[in-house]
Amino acid sequence: MEWISGVAGSLVLVLVLSSILRTLVVPRGLYSALVFRLWWLLRRLLRAAAGRGGYDAIDRAQTWLAPLMLIGMLATWLAGALLGFGLLLYAMSPLSWTNAFREAGSSLFTLGFASGARLKLSALDFLAAATGPVLIALQIAYLPTLYGAYNRRELEVTLLQARAGEPAWGPEILARQWLVDTETALPELYRAWERLAADMGESQSTYPILLTFRSPSPYRSWLVGLVAVLDAAAMQLALAPRSAPPEARLVLRAGFTALRDIARALRLPYDPDPSPDGPVRLTYDEFDAAVAMLEAAGFRAERTPKEAWPHFCGWRVNYEAIVYELCRRCDAVPALWTGPRDFPGGAVPPRRPVDRRPDGGRPGLPPAFG
């Protein structure tokens, strides 16, 4: 029994240490089964708490996922360390189960109320005493990194609101720029999101828990914002290849590369080299309706919708499958062109401000198409 307890305790400690190093220390997107099982469990519990409500109920419930994940990781690691050291103490001493776990807890949390005079266990007691404070210190040091990356991400997502509405939608970005004659600002937008995509690919593959942090506004999402910018760039390149800025190609490349980095960290299957003629789930009718909206806003296409459709699909096939799966797992706002969700309700079109210019202004955009 003591031998089995010693082996089991060693395995538990190795599992806990591996999870801590993969999540908090190693600067690389390494998969931690312990953390992702916790994510899966908490997401399911919060989904159950939301009942059968639509997106608003899901968003209110999932707001608690990030803080519960942070607390849950710390509690899980400490409980695992307590279990591991308790099993080892039981295996290496004549202590009973109760006294072994009592001494392990006393050492792990540096309380010192239960200690023995057994010299051969001093090293194990010291190791347990060092584990607790080091683990808590690592978790505390982890928080500024997370919130720094979160703030950088949400700043650009908030700035996108004026260009794409809430929730963001790729054709809406283009339509709004042509409607108010600010299309020359698109290269700057693409440059900003090219850098942000690289930042998100690095930070959210290294620290996947960032995926559980939701935007302050329920109808904003970094993931929806990213796919909106990628769709806008892809549509501009497909419809007007001669006048499209070179930044559009750069942001597309940076965007789907970042999404693949995140998918690799989460172990999501994806095609690393999809065919430009590969299938996409977005339909031609949806694309054609969006082109009609763009033309109503003043966009001048160099290709017809039928001519542009294969080129648009050739870009979108690089990121659509990953985006749909990430949006589903993150319970992102169900914006147009972002795929289905696990909760009831259809796609939400972007909310648009009313034109309040005294002369009546230009005609407003037609209704958003699903």
Side-chain angles (χ1 to χ4, degrees):
M1 187 64 180
E2 288 78 5
W3 180 83
I4 295 176
S5 176
V7 172
S10 299
L11 291 176
V12 169
L13 288 178
V14 168
L15 176 63
V16 170
L17 180 61
S18 173
S19 179
I20 294 170
L21 293 176
R22 287 170 174 268
T23 306
L24 302 181
V25 180
V26 179
R28 193 171 186 176
L30 298 181
Y31 185 87
S32 171
L34 197 62
V35 172
F36 281 94
R37 295 295 181 275
L38 179 64
W39 183 359
W40 180 88
L41 176 61
L42 290 176
R43 178 172 174 255
R44 292 299 187 280
L45 291 175
L46 291 172
R47 286 280 308 279
R52 296 188 177 182
Y55 172 69
D56 290 333
I58 292 293
D59 178 72
R60 286 192 298 270
Q62 296 295 334
T63 300
W64 294 97
L65 181 58
L68 288 177
M69 278 293 299
L70 292 172
I71 296 172
M73 287 192 307
L74 181 60
T76 301
W77 288 330
L78 287 173
L82 176 63
L83 176 63
F85 283 116
L87 291 172
L88 284 177
L89 284 170
Y90 176 78
M92 299 175 63
S93 71
L95 294 175
S96 64
W97 285 106
T98 303
N99 289 332
F101 280 97
R102 183 169 178 268
E103 182 164 327
S106 172
S107 300
L108 184 65
F109 297 102
T110 64
L111 299 176
F113 64 83
S115 60
R118 299 170 304 283
L119 183 61
K120 66 178 182 179
L121 292 180
S122 295
L124 192 59
D125 288 330
F126 288 149
L127 182 60
T131 300
V134 169
L135 175 54
I136 294 172
L138 285 174
Q139 180 84 337
I140 293 173
Y142 184 56
L143 295 180
T145 302
L146 289 181
Y147 282 99
Y150 173 78
N151 289 336
R152 291 194 305 271
R153 185 187 80 185
E154 294 305 317
L155 173 63
E156 293 296 336
V157 174
T158 303
L159 290 174
L160 186 65
Q161 175 194 0
R163 301 174 186 247
E166 285 187 0
W169 183 38
E172 185 82 3
I173 296 176
L174 298 179
R176 288 196 183 197
Q177 308 318 304
W178 262 266
L179 191 67
V180 296
D181 300 320
T182 57
E183 63 271 16
T184 54
L186 282 171
E188 181 184 354
L189 174 69
Y190 293 150
R191 282 194 296 270
W193 276 82
E194 177 192 3
R195 181 172 294 275
L196 180 63
D199 188 354
M200 290 191 297
E202 184 275 329
S203 61
Q204 302 197 94
S205 60
T206 303
Y207 307 111
I209 191 177
L210 276 170
L211 297 172
T212 66
F213 282 70
R214 303 182 73 84
S215 294
S217 171
Y219 288 93
R220 292 179 203 158
S221 166
W222 68 271
L223 190 53
V224 170
L226 178 59
V227 71
V229 173
L230 297 183
D231 281 341
M235 288 194 74
Q236 192 171 7
L237 286 168
L239 290 167
R242 289 190 295 273
S243 60
E247 289 84 355
R249 292 180 178 271
L250 298 177
V251 74
L252 277 163
R253 181 69 186 183
F256 67 71
T257 299
L259 289 168
R260 290 175 182 179
D261 289 341
I262 297 172
R264 192 179 305 113
L266 299 181
R267 294 188 177 180
L268 298 181
Y270 69 92
D271 186 352
D273 187 22
S275 170
D277 300 323
V280 296
R281 296 170 65 178
L282 187 73
T283 66
Y284 172 75
D285 289 340
E286 292 175 299
F287 177 76
D288 186 48
V291 174
M293 185 193 70
L294 290 182
E295 292 175 344
F299 182 88
R300 295 184 178 180
E302 300 165 8
R303 290 173 174 154
T304 65
K306 286 187 178 180
E307 293 171 340
W309 173 245
H311 297 276
F312 177 75
C313 292
W315 285 112
R316 188 173 169 90
V317 74
N318 289 285
Y319 58 86
E320 185 189 72
I322 298 175
V323 164
Y324 279 18
E325 181 61 18
L326 286 177
C327 284
R328 186 189 68 82
R329 292 196 181 193
C330 294
D331 295 311
V333 54
L336 298 174
W337 295 14
T338 59
R341 302 292 188 272
D342 292 336
F343 47 83
V348 179
R351 301 175 179 181
R352 293 167 176 166
V354 179
D355 191 342
R356 296 296 189 187
R357 285 180 286 184
D359 59 355
R362 295 170 59 177
L365 294 177
F369 297 92

